[in-house]
Amino acid sequence: MGKDVIIALDFDSKAKTLAFLDQFTEEKPFVKIGMELYYAEGPAIVREIKARGHKIFLDLKLHDIPNTVKKAMAVLSGLDVDMTNLHAAGTKAMMEAALEGLTRPDGTRPLLIAVTQLTSTSQERMESDLLIEKPLDQVVMHYAKCAAESGLAGVVCSPLEAGKVHEVCGKDFVTVTPGVRFADGDAGDQVRITTPAKAKELGSDYIVVGRPITQAADPVAAYRRCVSEFVG
Ligand code: C5P
């Protein structure tokens, strides 16, 4: 699995996004388009960024009945993104349907990965609000296993869980990990954080980095620092 740094394009408009990307004159970073930008600009922004030559992780976290997710994934497959995702909590039936919908007539499809438990969910909240009374890490590993059994390519997880996910689901099962900060950087609202170098050591396949790059005084330098620490 080729390791790469994915920049989270957490902007609310096309103008801000393109102004950010225009700073990258020598490289074409792999980027993540999430709900904020997608809901602001729609599929046109995906096409535009693709046309500029970037790989795209479309982070829309689908979660609905299997038939609806299958049909939505069939539409997304036409956007020609490289990676997209859903919630494993939608069950294996939903994940299998999603995979079917996402597969193009020629058999190809973007990498489909699952969100296990959001990193914003605590053990207490999971027990009180979701009535799941098991240790959080066991729940994450179970969801990862269900995703693998459904044929998905990987999961979004904490870098701290990447090694265990590989043990349970195999070394080729992709781990995409947010929560990355430079050793001398600001944590912001992320709690369980690691540096790009540590994420590499822990076995992450892709790190998703937002503010340490987008809010940096020199985003291109920050991106290059991430790549050199994580990819080497
Ligand atoms: O700015 P920062 O580096 O914290 O951005 C991390 C990105 O990864 C954000 O787009 C955030 O929504 C996303 N993400 C996350 N934790 C998850 C899933 C996605 O931080 N469990």
Side-chain angles (χ1 to χ4, degrees), residues 8 10 32 61 119 156 178 181 190 208-212:
D10 292 326
K32 178 171 91 69
K61 299 187 177 70
T119 45
V156 183
R181 292 294 179 269
Q190 295 280 15
V208 175
V209 187
R211 287 160 292 179

Side-chain angles (χ1 to χ4, degrees), residues 6-10 32-36 57 59 61 85 115-120 156-158 176-181 187-190 193 208-215:
I6 302 177
I7 304 178
L9 296 177
D10 292 326
K32 178 171 91 69
I33 297 176
M35 292 182 199
E36 184 184 9
F57 168 20
D59 178 20
K61 299 187 177 70
N85 64 356
V115 175
T116 55
Q117 283 291 346
L118 290 169
T119 45
S120 52
V156 183
C157 63
S158 157
V176 180
T177 67
V180 174
R181 292 294 179 269
D189 58 351
Q190 295 280 15
I193 55 172
V208 175
V209 187
R211 287 160 292 179
I213 296 175
T214 57
Q215 306 302 313

Side-chain angles (χ1 to χ4, degrees), residues 75-86:
V75 172
L76 293 183
S77 79
L79 282 179
D80 197 26
V81 297
D82 301 277
M83 187 187 289
T84 191
N85 64 356
L86 45 63

Side-chain angles (χ1 to χ4, degrees), residues 65-76:
I65 59 172
N67 186 56
T68 301
V69 170
K70 178 178 168 179
K71 291 184 161 182
M73 285 293 184
V75 172
L76 293 183

